Amino acid sequence: MTRNLQEKLRVIVLLAGLAAILGASALYISMRLEITVDLTYFLPEPQTLGQQLLTKRLGQGPGSRLIFVSLEKGPDGTGLDNLVNINDELNASGLFTFIRDGAPELS
């Protein structure tokens, strides 16, 4: 074997080894991955019984299914012109149970 062919073979073996390690890592991560929507992960550790009850209810209750979106006016006063259209599209999608916009409170 020529020296050039040996170097190419080493590179191929190295890349195959790296691919095997990456594949095994991806498999391990996918088997151990746990996706959650529990909001209590964003809160500090509860200290009192009341805080424990609150975090338990918040993590498993309706609060864990809320999505808050804030739309603000731009520097030139525009940006909320499409708020009614967005509200109508979200309602028409059927993906949301309740949509509340603050349009009456906006100035």
Side-chain angles (χ1 to χ4, degrees):
M1 249 188 237
T2 65
R3 185 170 180 90
N4 194 15
L5 186 58
Q6 287 177 342
E7 289 176 5
K8 287 181 181 179
L9 186 59
R10 283 185 188 145
V11 170
I12 290 172
V13 170
L14 178 66
L15 290 176
L18 288 174
I21 291 171
L22 287 174
S25 299
L27 180 64
Y28 176 76
I29 290 171
S30 67
M31 291 174 63
R32 306 274 304 187
L33 183 64
E34 183 178 328
I35 298 174
T36 182
V37 292
D38 192 351
L39 293 178
T40 58
Y41 288 118
F42 297 102
L43 299 174
E45 197 67 32
Q47 303 297 323
T48 66
L49 185 61
Q51 290 174 350
Q52 291 173 358
L53 179 64
L54 176 65
T55 55
K56 182 179 179 183
R57 300 256 174 142
L58 180 63
Q60 299 171 355
S64 65
R65 296 184 297 267
L66 292 176
I67 299 173
F68 292 97
V69 177
S70 174
L71 301 174
E72 298 180 5
K73 291 182 182 179
D76 57 355
T78 62
L80 296 179
D81 301 334
N82 294 326
L83 185 60
V84 175
N85 295 339
I86 292 171
N87 189 23
D88 292 341
E89 288 181 30
L90 291 175
N91 277 318
S93 72
L95 298 173
F96 302 94
T97 305
F98 177 74
I99 297 173
R100 166 78 166 93
D101 66 8
E105 292 132 10
L106 297 174
S107 55

